[in-house]
């Protein structure tokens, strides 16, 4: 019983909140013509945007919103204008008709199907607002006032309806696109980490393969000499083979994730934005003031976005750690027909010249945690492995600034349908 109440409470609370906010917004209004019985407020904008963002029962929300608006206005009339309740109710009831009609139309349309079609959604919303306005005005003319709608007023109805509807759809689309970009950024970040781990697993699998072959060879050599030892060697070989099969299953699953086609259409500009946005957070974590400069001579769709993201994230993170308190990181991409040159340059403490020849060796590190334990030292070796897989090269210089220069064949990064 408690679980059911918790599940149902949130939508009801959301509907009530939409109704209250819409009621407040509807009081911020514009009266376009003197003595005209209609007015334009923010209520419609708030209501439409709310039901687009929050998946609530639209018809129920429209009914509750309409009733809330009428009750609120009747109460204000009674308290501050001394109007009779019945008279005030008849005058205010058309507003409820508008929201109920508008919600009914949206409900029948099933707006969930049109959220990815902004032009169609904006058009339908404008038409529904015009219909709802006409229903509201028809009741007003019959029971409240005999004001006749003139041609210019009707044109104003249509114009305002289109402006409000397309404005709301534009705002919603902007919010949706921003959220989608955030999700893609998170997906790419996860994918880049998995990509590196997949490479590490592939190396381990190659090593396991060598050990399996060596242990089986040992079994064959021991077999004519000592049956007990040869049996033990065979058992070890079989156990290693099982580990290899488990590793292959994991590698197969990870490979599908890190080569997912949904990420193949990543633009270079978007990828560089994801890198700087993510690493600005890393900069703030280290409480440093670092400025990022990003440049590229051509924007293009990347063939291997996760690989490029993985190696650039590693180099930029290292640059952040190398900078003391304040500095600059420059990321540049220069693409030509045959090769793409990528540079990552920072104003950090630099790398001693004696260490430059060995920084890409697995296990090399200059980083230690607060307990004095060294890091794994596999970051730059993974960067080099990624670049080698892309048939590229990497070089580093360290004088006043530290600069990593990566050269990759363009056909490895650049999609031909750009």
């Amino acid at each position: 019983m408690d679980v059911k109440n918790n599940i149902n409470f949130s939508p009801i609370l959301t509907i009530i909140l939409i109704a209250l906010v819409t009621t407040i917004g509807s009081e911020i209004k514009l009266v376009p013509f003197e003595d005209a019985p209609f007015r334009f407020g923010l209520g419609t904008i708030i209501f439409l945007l709310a039901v687009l963002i929050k998946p609530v029962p639209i018809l129920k929300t429209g009914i509750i919103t309409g009733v809330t608006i009428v009750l609120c206005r009747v109460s204000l009339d009674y308290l501050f204008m001394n109007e009779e309740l019945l008279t005030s109710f008849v005058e205010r009831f058309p507003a409820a008709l508008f929201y109920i009609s508008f919600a009914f139309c949206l409900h029948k349309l099933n707006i969930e199907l049109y959220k990815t079609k902004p032009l169609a959604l904006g058009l339908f919303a404008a038409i529904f607002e015009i219909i709802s306005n006409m229903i509201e005005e028809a009741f007003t003319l019959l029971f409240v006032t005999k004001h006749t709608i003139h041609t210019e007023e009707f044109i104003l109805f249509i114009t305002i309806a289109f402006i409000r509807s397309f404005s709301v759809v534009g705002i919603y689309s902007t919010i949706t696109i921003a959220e989608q970009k955030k999700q893609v950024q998170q997906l790419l970040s996860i994918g880049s980490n998995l990509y590196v781990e997949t490479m590490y697993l592939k190396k381990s699998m190659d090593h396991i393969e060598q050990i399996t072959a060596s242990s089986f060879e040992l079994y064959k050599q021991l077999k004519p000499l000592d049956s007990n030892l040869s049996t033990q060697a065979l058992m070890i070989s079989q156990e290693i083979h099982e580990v290899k099969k488990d590793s292959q299953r994991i590698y197969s699953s990870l490979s599908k994730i890190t080569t997912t086609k949904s990420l193949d259409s990543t633009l270079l500009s978007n990828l560089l934005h994801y890198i700087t946005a993510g690493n600005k957070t890393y900069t703030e974590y280290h409480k440093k003031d670092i400025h990022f400069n990003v440049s590229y001579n051509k924007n293009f769709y990347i063939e291997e976005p996760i690989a490029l993201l993985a190696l650039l994230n590693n180099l930029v993170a290292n640059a952040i750690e190398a900078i003391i308190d304040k500095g600059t990181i420059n990321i540049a991409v220069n693409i030509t027909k045959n090769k793409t040159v990528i540079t990552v340059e920072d104003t950090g403490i630099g790398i001693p010249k004696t260490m430059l020849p060995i920084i890409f060796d697995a296990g090399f590190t200059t980083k230690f945690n607060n307990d004095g334990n060294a890091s794994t030292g596999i970051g730059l070796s993974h960067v080099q492995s990624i670049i080698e897989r892309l048939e590229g090269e990497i070089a580093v210089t360290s004088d006043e600034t530290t600069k990593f220069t990566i050269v990759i064949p363009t056909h490895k990064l650049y999609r031909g349908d750009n």
Side-chain angles (χ1 to χ4, degrees):
M1 182 64 70
D2 291 338
V3 174
K4 186 177 180 180
N5 287 340
N6 287 337
I7 293 173
N8 292 332
F9 179 72
S10 181
I12 292 173
L13 183 62
T14 302
I15 291 172
I16 293 173
L17 183 61
I18 291 172
L20 291 174
V21 175
T22 303
T23 299
I24 296 171
S26 67
E27 295 305 311
I28 303 172
K29 55 190 178 293
L30 169 67
V31 181
F33 299 105
E34 188 178 355
D35 299 327
F38 57 87
R39 60 189 181 177
F40 300 107
L42 295 179
T44 308
I45 294 175
I46 294 171
F47 180 82
L48 179 56
L49 184 60
V51 297
L52 285 173
I53 294 175
K54 298 296 292 184
V56 293
I58 295 177
L59 184 56
K60 183 187 294 184
T61 305
I63 294 171
I64 293 175
T65 299
V67 170
T68 303
I69 288 174
V70 172
L71 290 177
C72 179
R73 292 178 180 175
V74 169
S75 299
L76 292 174
D77 289 343
Y78 179 75
L79 292 173
F80 299 102
M81 306 294 292
N82 294 320
E83 285 195 30
E84 293 183 3
L85 290 177
L86 182 59
T87 303
S88 177
F89 178 79
V90 173
E91 291 178 352
R92 301 302 187 181
F93 184 71
L97 282 180
F98 171 84
Y99 283 97
I100 293 170
S101 303
F102 190 52
F104 177 79
C105 292
L106 292 174
H107 170 72
K108 285 299 183 181
L109 176 67
N110 190 1
I111 60 173
E112 291 295 328
L113 300 177
Y114 290 88
K115 285 185 175 181
T116 57
K117 304 173 183 177
L119 290 178
L121 180 59
L123 179 62
F124 278 119
I127 293 172
F128 295 159
E129 182 175 338
I130 294 169
I131 293 171
S132 302
N133 269 320
M134 299 314 298
I135 292 173
E136 178 183 3
E137 288 308 310
F139 185 92
T140 302
L141 290 173
L142 289 173
F143 300 102
V144 181
T145 179
K146 298 302 180 182
H147 174 82
T148 304
I149 299 178
H150 301 293
T151 303
E152 63 270 20
E153 295 174 351
F154 184 72
I155 293 173
L156 183 63
F157 264 137
I158 298 174
T159 304
I160 294 296
F162 274 90
I163 291 174
R164 288 200 295 199
S165 298
F166 278 97
S167 296
V168 171
V169 172
I171 294 170
Y172 172 74
S173 298
T174 302
I175 295 171
T176 303
I177 291 170
E179 185 61 29
Q180 287 175 344
K181 279 192 172 183
K182 183 179 178 181
Q183 292 175 355
V184 171
Q185 182 175 350
Q186 292 173 342
L187 185 60
L188 279 170
S189 180
I190 294 170
S192 69
N193 292 332
L194 286 176
Y195 182 87
V196 172
E197 295 302 326
T198 303
M199 288 189 59
Y200 189 73
L201 180 60
K202 183 65 169 62
K203 285 186 176 182
S204 297
M205 287 171 56
D206 293 340
H207 192 203
I208 291 171
E209 185 71 34
Q210 295 173 6
I211 296 174
T212 303
S214 298
S215 61
F216 189 73
E217 182 63 28
L218 178 62
Y219 157 72
K220 290 194 296 183
Q221 292 177 7
L222 289 174
K223 187 175 181 180
L225 301 176
D226 191 316
S227 60
N228 290 331
L229 289 177
S230 65
T231 301
Q232 292 181 23
L234 179 61
M235 291 177 62
I236 292 172
S237 177
Q238 291 171 340
E239 290 295 326
I240 295 172
H241 181 68
E242 288 301 312
V243 173
K244 184 186 78 171
K245 288 196 297 183
D246 290 339
S247 298
Q248 286 175 333
R249 283 192 287 268
I250 297 171
Y251 177 78
S252 176
S253 298
L254 288 177
S255 296
K256 290 178 182 179
I257 296 173
T258 56
T259 57
T260 176
K261 295 299 180 183
S262 63
L263 299 178
D264 283 351
S265 60
T266 305
L267 274 169
L268 173 65
S269 57
N270 289 338
L271 191 75
L272 294 175
H273 169 74
Y274 300 147
I275 291 168
T276 54
N279 282 285
K280 279 178 182 176
T281 303
Y282 191 53
T283 298
E284 293 168 0
Y285 171 76
H286 284 280
K287 298 179 180 179
K288 296 181 180 181
D289 181 13
I290 298 176
H291 181 69
F292 290 85
N293 292 319
V294 176
S295 63
Y296 49 90
N297 68 330
K298 181 179 180 179
N299 200 16
F300 61 95
Y301 285 100
I302 302 168
E303 184 69 29
E304 299 248 14
I306 292 181
L308 189 57
L309 182 72
L311 71 89
L312 284 178
N313 262 340
N314 202 304
L315 292 178
V316 173
N318 285 347
I320 291 170
E321 293 166 0
I323 292 174
I324 305 298
D325 297 330
K326 186 176 182 180
T328 302
I329 296 175
N330 301 314
I331 306 170
V333 181
N334 183 39
I335 180 174
T336 63
K337 182 178 180 181
N338 297 319
K339 64 181 180 180
T340 298
V341 180
I342 304 168
T343 59
V344 178
E345 184 178 18
D346 68 76
T347 58
I349 57 176
I351 304 172
K353 294 189 183 298
T354 55
M355 293 185 177
L356 289 177
I358 60 172
I359 62 171
F360 294 105
D361 293 347
F364 170 82
T365 185
T366 58
K367 303 173 189 176
F368 295 85
N369 61 20
N370 294 332
D371 297 326
N373 298 320
S375 67
T376 57
I378 59 176
L380 286 177
S381 66
H382 276 157
V383 167
Q384 188 176 48
S385 297
I386 295 171
I387 294 169
E388 288 175 352
R389 194 184 72 77
L390 296 173
E391 300 177 7
E393 299 175 348
I394 184 170
V396 58
T397 59
S398 187
D399 294 307
E400 293 182 1
T401 63
T402 298
K403 184 176 183 180
F404 287 86
T405 303
I406 302 163
V407 181
I408 298 173
T410 294
H411 71 273
K412 286 291 182 177
L413 295 177
Y414 182 73
R415 282 180 49 182
D417 57 347
N418 283 250

